[in-house]
Amino acid sequence: LSQAVFESIRAERIPFVLLMDKSKGTQYAGAKKELMTFLEQHILSGVQEVNKAYMVTLLVRHFFDSIVEIAKAYQDDDWALTNITILMQYHMSGMKSLY
């Protein structure tokens, strides 16, 4: 998963940052929210307890914001892949506790 996210960002980093962080007032302004909602629904489909829904929303928001920040601060391929991998490990470990 880390490699897939990294490859996507590496291939289209500037358009990704523009879409996720700088699209206010454009026809693409809702793209980030749509992706976050899709991921939230995917995660919630496996979560048994309804009272965890708000936490899932916060975690998804944090995940997306972190990916965008890594893309914005991109130094080189090794740096980006390392940071994306750490973020993925962190989030996947935390997500396990929701299931």
Side-chain angles (χ1 to χ4, degrees):
L1 186 56
S2 296
Q3 190 68 38
V5 171
F6 165 71
E7 292 295 338
S8 296
I9 290 172
R10 183 173 70 163
E12 300 290 340
R13 185 173 66 89
I14 300 302
F16 173 77
V17 170
L18 291 173
L19 182 65
M20 295 292 119
D21 196 48
K22 306 292 183 192
S23 61
K24 184 178 179 181
T26 73
Q27 67 186 34
Y28 304 106
K32 181 178 178 183
K33 179 65 176 161
E34 286 179 34
L35 288 171
M36 288 176 22
T37 300
F38 175 79
L39 184 56
E40 285 175 33
Q41 294 304 311
H42 174 71
I43 293 167
L44 287 171
S45 70
V47 174
Q48 301 299 322
E49 299 175 42
V50 175
N51 64 345
K52 294 182 178 179
Y54 183 68
M55 186 53 58
V56 169
T57 299
L58 292 178
L59 292 172
V60 167
R61 185 182 312 154
H62 177 261
F63 176 75
F64 268 89
D65 288 345
S66 296
I67 291 291
V68 171
E69 289 304 315
I70 290 170
K72 287 167 58 176
Y74 202 103
Q75 295 176 13
D76 59 44
D77 290 351
D78 290 335
W79 181 91
L81 181 57
T82 296
N83 284 286
I84 290 169
T85 300
I86 292 167
L87 178 66
M88 291 293 181
Q89 291 170 343
Y90 169 80
H91 267 277
M92 293 304 166
S93 294
M95 289 295 174
K96 286 180 191 176
S97 70
L98 296 174
Y99 294 95

